[in-house]
Amino acid sequence: IEDFFQCFQISCQGATSITTFVVFLCDKIEPALSRAVFERTARDIAEDMKNKFPDFKSNRANLEVCILRYLAEQENFEYFKQYLTSPKQFFQSYIERRVKSHCLDGSSRLRMFLESSLESLYGNILSAVSLSTQIVKDKKDREDKISLWLDEFCGELAEVINLPRSELKGIEHQEVTDIEFLSSAMAKSLIDLRDRLIKELADADMSSFSRQPHTILAEHFSGCWQQCPFCGAVCTNTMQNHDGDHQLVFHRPQALTGFKWYGTDHFVIDICSSSVASDCSFRFHDYQPWTPYRTYRNAGPPVSTWRILPDSSMQAYWKWFVSHFRTQLEALYSQKFQGKGEIPYAWHRITKQEALSELERC
């Protein structure tokens, strides 16, 4: 009877140690798992957007075409103004708008993304429990089985969940000898943990992410965001701090940045790449000297950091835009499309569809 009670006492102590161990460990796992769910979901959403939407399947030039198509379809001058003055911010807001529409369109897509991530990570944890148990249970000569089990467990999860081994020092000296019982207790506790997180995820929204999916997606389209000093078009180099000059394929009418002919309130509708082949001169401020467009680099930064090749071709899109939003542009800059800035009759005949068709071909 004495031996029975002694064994019973040892068994109770072991069960208590395992319960203490499991509760402590799961309390550490739960917030780490929750963070990992949102981190993985953010990446999965960004990848899903790249796979499913033409806007995000290619490079930034392709995305810009999609944005210009969107702007033309909306025909909202305020949107155009935001795009022209703050292109990087507009790109980011456009991506954010598309991501939110995709995830919050009433189809519970965000919840499905989150639950999928949770199930995947939950499976990773169960596998780590099983593998750690298999490795440790046969090491009968080791007295530090729990410490070894934790080493294996954290090592298995290192690439998917941030669960620092150093935070588990408090339980590595628990008197646990029945490793298989420990594994069973962990599995049961993890089921309860998963069920709690599923309930929490039901109320999640885009603000729940510490790193937003649209931010991850926008990083795919990073690059140089310097704007041409004359027309405001964005440098097309894909490197943010690239070597060499800024450059782009198509410049725009200088009226888009408010350029006017000296001594008048008449817009300049020429593009920079045709101006650099002309006999005209420019200056940005009254206190600056005049600089011939042909030697524009002599004006110093920022124009000296640009490579603008002579080219008279102008995209039909911007001809359509200037014609369509003539009144709004005149009000924005308090200038007129008159004199040398008179809009050619041919520009008025360009339809939106013709402008978009040429844009996509280019």
Side-chain angles (χ1 to χ4, degrees), residues 255 261 264 266-270 322 326 330 336-344 347:
W261 290 101
T264 75
H266 299 166
F267 278 115
V268 175
I269 62 171
D270 300 332
V322 167
R326 169 179 183 157
E330 289 181 334
K336 298 181 176 65
F337 288 103
Q338 294 180 0
K340 289 184 177 181
E342 184 71 37
I343 299 173
W347 291 21

Side-chain angles (χ1 to χ4, degrees), residues 241-252:
N241 297 307
H242 60 86
D243 295 328
D245 295 327
H246 301 299
Q247 57 186 333
L248 48 89
V249 179
F250 295 106
H251 286 267
R252 304 166 181 171

